[in-house]
Amino acid sequence: MCGIVGYVGNKNAQDFLISGLKRLEYRGYDSAGIVTLSENGEATLLRAKGKIVNLEEKLLENRREDKIGIGHTRWATHGEPSEVNAHPHQAGKIYLVHNGIIENYKELRRHISGHDFKSQTDTEVLVALINSFYKDGEYPLANAVVQALKLVKGTYGIAVVSAENPEEIVVARSGSPLVIGIGTDETLLASDASALVGHTKRAIYLNDGEVAVIRKDSVEIKTLNAEPVSLRVEEIETNLSAIQKGGYDHFLLKEIMEQPESLAETLRGRINAEDGTVRLGGPGLSAAELRKIKHLVIVGCGTAYHAGLLAAYYIEQFTPEITIETVIASEYRYRNAYIPEDSVALIVSQSGETADTLACLRSIKEKGIRTIGIVNAIGSTIAREVDGGTYVHVGPEISVASTKAFTSQMIAMVMFGLTIAQAKGVPAMMLKNYVEEIVALPEAIRETLAEATEPVKEIVSNYVDYDHAIYLGRDTAYPAAMEGALKLKEVSYIDANAYAFGELKHGPLALVDDRFFEMALLPKGELYEKAVSNVQEVLARNGHIIAITNVEDFDLEVESVLRISSKIELFAPVLMNLVMQLFAYYVTIGKGYNVDQPRNLAKSVTVE
Ligand code: AGP
């Protein structure tokens, strides 16, 4: 998820572009750049790796009084963070910034001649393609853009300028948001309205399939088929923080609700339902190397650890002759654990900066074991030090409590397990259900969030005043219960702990009394009846049970039932986790606590 800004007007373009990029840095960045044009078309292109402050330093020696320009913060998808991969990209007199993924960029690249490619990005292919239509003189810039976009498959939000015409910016979107700000003798552009706050209250939200030509005193919008589009000017909310939350009250709810899209980004280009295959390029392991793997060590902390625990349950279901251990990084780094040579270590971290996980990574590498990162933050320390890896691409996770990262990390590890199974010759028929459910999961997540929100809100008032909770599950529902308990614990401060249902009789059952409520995960499956027996044991002690279940005819006499109607069965615990995320959020709201910044915690634990 990148950030785009643009300016054309009577003020200094560089000033708006930099301030706008800073407003968008919550969208994440690993590099940034701007280009501005003087009245006679002289271009000043500045790009820098890392934080926007690095770009500002370059500005010190390159101040211009230019009145038009575009800028970009990059959340890398194709090509690692670097100055050469930073936007804007150039072809001839044309400069372009892009948010999204051009899926057929390799095919398009074959259409282009006479362009000296400098970067590894899909974006440079797009600007070269536009230039190939433009330089023939056949098309003004907007038409060249349209001709090129008609060949593109994928998602884009783009802003394009030409040094031959330093009065206009061409803007287009399909899948990546763009908003046009209408000022006095100036027109502004941004990926979201937060960059426009304080400059204008009037905005036009571009729709998919629309192309706009913006000048300092005019905006003209057409569809890709040249049909004119009427201008829909709306009022911008002035609360900056609220806008960055996309209209949600808190980042936590925003990040819970964006999981259909964030998981889709994780899957994009990596899994094929038609032929049932998974392709992960990042780990960099050949089929022969994948076949040799006999042991997996999965390393993480907190939610990342839970993602590994759950992934391990799945991987061992379909990958033959492989042992898996999931370990807490802060413990494992001090153990003298033997790791067999035919092992691979999965290093799981949203931030890619967690000190204990990083220390584990380094000690495992010293033992000569191949390390694969399952990381979100592009260019983070862990991402740079592993031997290979799979970015989960969920966009920045701002709320301290991790939600969308868990879902994507867990599925990314299952996909890694599927690549091992494929390499080991496991028949596609055996993996088909897993692949089909993973492909269907983003939509199932959307359905579950929609159907669970109101029922969760209806019951939370019954549980807000509890100080203790027990979360229970069997098999794949057990690691999910652990993650659910952590979520509740870390935002509501309710002392929630998870136990395997089968462990109840070995001690935890003694806890059951009116001080506790119980969250019971009851997915369909061969262990359902066993779990029901365990629920009966709790009911017999007057437990206050909330059941989360996808069993249509569920009729146990429990206090609350949260139903999941999705047909997803293998990954039902992933959907149950969404319900527990919502539960933790609404209980905490009910308590009036700061749900995005819980006491005592930090988003990234970079100290030991
Ligand atoms: C999760 O909600 C917590 N905020 C915390 O446990 C987190 O998962 C843990 O600190 C690991 O962080 P990482 O994924 O960035 O390494």
Side-chain angles (χ1 to χ4, degrees):
M1 183 164 77
C2 308
I4 286 176
V5 290
Y7 180 84
V8 53
N10 291 335
K11 298 188 190 110
N12 184 294
Q14 288 182 330
D15 290 345
F16 172 76
L17 297 178
I18 292 295
S19 67
L21 292 183
K22 285 183 173 176
R23 291 276 183 85
L24 298 180
E25 66 184 4
Y26 78 92
R27 297 170 72 88
Y29 55 83
D30 45 62
S31 55
I34 64 172
V35 65
T36 56
L37 302 173
S38 70
E39 285 173 355
N40 60 15
E42 184 192 349
T44 302
L45 173 62
L46 303 171
R47 300 185 298 181
K49 183 179 175 186
K51 296 185 184 300
I52 293 172
V53 66
N54 301 344
L55 182 62
E56 284 188 286
E57 279 168 23
K58 293 203 167 188
L59 212 56
L60 295 176
E61 303 106 54
N62 295 281
R63 282 296 289 171
R64 297 288 184 277
E65 289 313 310
D66 299 347
K67 303 287 188 292
I68 181 171
I70 55 178
H72 184 270
T73 64
R74 184 163 179 254
W75 187 266
T77 53
H78 293 75
E80 281 304 281
S82 65
E83 185 170 331
V84 75
N85 286 334
H87 303 202
H89 284 285
Q90 175 188 4
K93 299 279 189 186
I94 297 178
Y95 298 84
L96 173 142
V97 292
H98 168 228
N99 179 17
I101 292 181
I102 308 292
E103 290 172 4
N104 62 332
Y105 75 102
K106 287 183 180 152
E107 175 201 327
L108 293 173
R109 185 164 173 160
R110 288 195 280 275
H111 282 286
I112 297 160
S113 59
H115 178 78
D116 173 20
F117 283 94
K118 299 183 183 60
S119 79
Q120 305 137 348
T121 66
D122 54 340
T123 303
E124 189 180 1
V125 172
L126 180 55
V127 69
L129 185 64
I130 293 169
N131 190 42
S132 69
F133 287 108
Y134 179 72
K135 71 183 178 195
D136 299 345
E138 285 178 50
Y139 297 105
L141 184 59
N143 290 12
V145 167
V146 167
Q147 296 308 316
L149 292 181
K150 285 182 173 176
L151 301 175
V152 160
K153 294 193 188 89
T155 56
Y156 57 81
I158 60 171
V160 194
V161 293
S162 164
E164 290 181 339
N165 181 355
E167 286 94 32
E168 68 179 29
I169 302 174
V170 177
V171 176
R173 78 155 274 180
S174 179
S176 297
L178 280 172
V179 55
I180 298 166
I182 312 294
T184 307
D185 287 336
E186 62 182 15
T187 304
L188 309 102
L189 173 73
S191 296
D192 70 44
S194 59
L196 305 180
V197 171
H199 295 277
T200 179
K201 288 191 174 196
R202 304 173 63 229
I204 297 171
Y205 291 82
L206 214 52
N207 290 328
D208 284 352
E210 293 179 348
V211 181
V213 178
I214 64 177
R215 299 182 182 88
K216 71 174 183 178
D217 51 8
S218 71
V219 176
E220 195 183 345
I221 304 178
K222 292 183 180 174
T223 66
L224 277 176
N225 300 322
E227 293 134 2
V229 174
S230 58
L231 301 187
R232 312 166 296 269
V233 182
E234 301 180 34
E235 183 90 4
I236 294 178
E237 178 175 331
T238 53
N239 176 338
L240 184 56
S241 169
I243 279 180
Q244 289 182 341
K245 292 170 191 151
Y248 290 101
D249 291 341
H250 303 96
F251 280 111
L252 182 54
L253 186 57
K254 173 175 177 277
E255 288 154 13
I256 290 171
M257 301 309 275
E258 65 188 7
Q259 288 180 90
E261 291 75 25
S262 56
L263 181 60
E265 285 303 310
T266 308
L267 303 183
R268 191 183 299 282
R270 292 171 166 169
I271 190 163
N272 184 321
E274 280 71 51
D275 62 13
T277 54
V278 175
R279 264 185 302 284
L280 293 180
L285 292 170
S286 68
E289 289 170 318
L290 287 168
R291 262 194 299 281
K292 272 177 55 185
I293 297 173
K294 287 279 184 301
H295 183 68
L296 282 183
V297 181
I298 305 178
V299 180
C301 300
T303 287
Y305 167 65
H306 294 153
L309 279 176
L310 182 52
Y313 271 81
Y314 288 113
I315 295 170
E316 67 191 15
Q317 289 175 3
F318 53 70
T319 307
E321 299 135 25
I322 195 168
T323 53
I324 308 174
E325 57 180 321
T326 303
V327 297
I328 292 173
S330 58
E331 285 294 302
Y332 194 70
R333 63 180 289 196
Y334 299 111
R335 283 169 45 192
N336 182 25
Y338 169 68
I339 310 180
E341 62 186 56
D342 47 12
S343 299
V344 163
L346 298 185
I347 312 297
V348 193
S349 177
Q350 187 286 128
S351 64
E353 303 297 346
T354 300
D356 285 317
T357 310
L358 177 58
C360 248
L361 162 61
R362 289 170 175 166
S363 71
I364 289 171
K365 282 185 77 172
E366 278 164 18
K367 296 176 179 174
I369 299 297
R370 187 74 172 256
T371 55
I372 306 289
I374 304 291
V375 175
N376 187 37
I378 310 260
S380 54
T381 307
I382 289 173
R384 279 183 285 109
E385 294 195 13
V386 289
D387 299 311
T390 293
Y391 280 123
V392 293
H393 291 308
V394 300
E397 197 176 58
I398 310 293
S399 194
V400 165
S402 184
T403 50
K404 59 180 182 174
F406 170 85
T407 301
S408 284
Q409 285 166 338
M410 207 293 287
I411 293 298
M413 285 185 270
V414 171
M415 290 200 286
F416 179 70
L418 288 167
T419 62
I420 297 175
Q422 286 167 180
K424 286 179 179 261
V426 174
M429 277 309 291
M430 292 271 290
L431 308 177
K432 187 167 175 291
N433 290 347
Y434 292 92
V435 172
E436 285 177 353
E437 282 212 2
I438 289 173
V439 171
L441 209 41
E443 190 46 40
I445 288 173
R446 189 187 316 283
E447 286 167 12
T448 302
L449 289 170
E451 79 174 343
T453 297
E454 285 314 312
V456 165
K457 287 167 79 171
E458 280 160 22
I459 70 167
V460 285
S461 57
N462 302 329
Y463 301 97
V464 165
D465 295 328
Y466 276 87
D467 293 324
H468 304 281
I470 290 174
Y471 277 51
L472 295 158
R474 273 187 181 270
D475 193 60
T476 49
Y478 171 43
M482 292 172 78
E483 173 57 14
L486 172 62
K487 219 47 54 199
L488 184 69
K489 179 188 295 159
E490 66 176 325
V491 292
S492 75
Y493 317 147
I494 291 176
D495 173 21
N497 292 295
Y499 303 97
F501 260 125
E503 274 295 283
L504 267 179
K505 292 186 290 296
H506 301 283
L509 194 58
L511 291 171
V512 174
D513 63 21
D514 286 341
R515 294 173 303 145
F516 284 74
F517 70 85
E518 292 76 32
M519 182 75 77
L521 304 190
L522 296 166
K524 281 178 194 166
E526 57 194 47
L527 296 176
Y528 172 72
E529 290 308 330
K530 284 201 183 300
V532 165
S533 308
N534 299 135
V535 168
Q536 300 287 15
E537 291 159 11
V538 178
L539 283 174
R541 279 101 185 150
N542 305 316
H544 302 279
I545 297 175
I546 304 169
I548 304 181
T549 184
N550 58 352
V551 172
E552 292 87 354
D553 58 355
F554 180 85
D555 59 0
L556 282 181
E557 292 296 310
V558 296
E559 201 167 86
S560 306
V561 182
L562 297 170
R563 295 181 185 277
I564 292 176
S565 59
S566 166
K567 295 295 168 263
I568 292 278
E569 292 203 6
L570 290 168
F571 294 105
V574 172
L575 303 180
M576 293 181 166
N577 185 52
L578 304 171
V579 179
M580 293 186 286
Q581 290 172 352
L582 290 169
F583 182 80
Y585 172 75
Y586 285 109
V587 163
T588 306
I589 298 304
K591 283 174 166 287
Y593 296 161
N594 180 337
V595 77
D596 280 331
Q597 284 141 9
R599 68 186 180 195
N600 310 342
L601 301 181
K603 182 57 186 172
S604 180
V605 182
T606 53
V607 295
E608 297 170 9

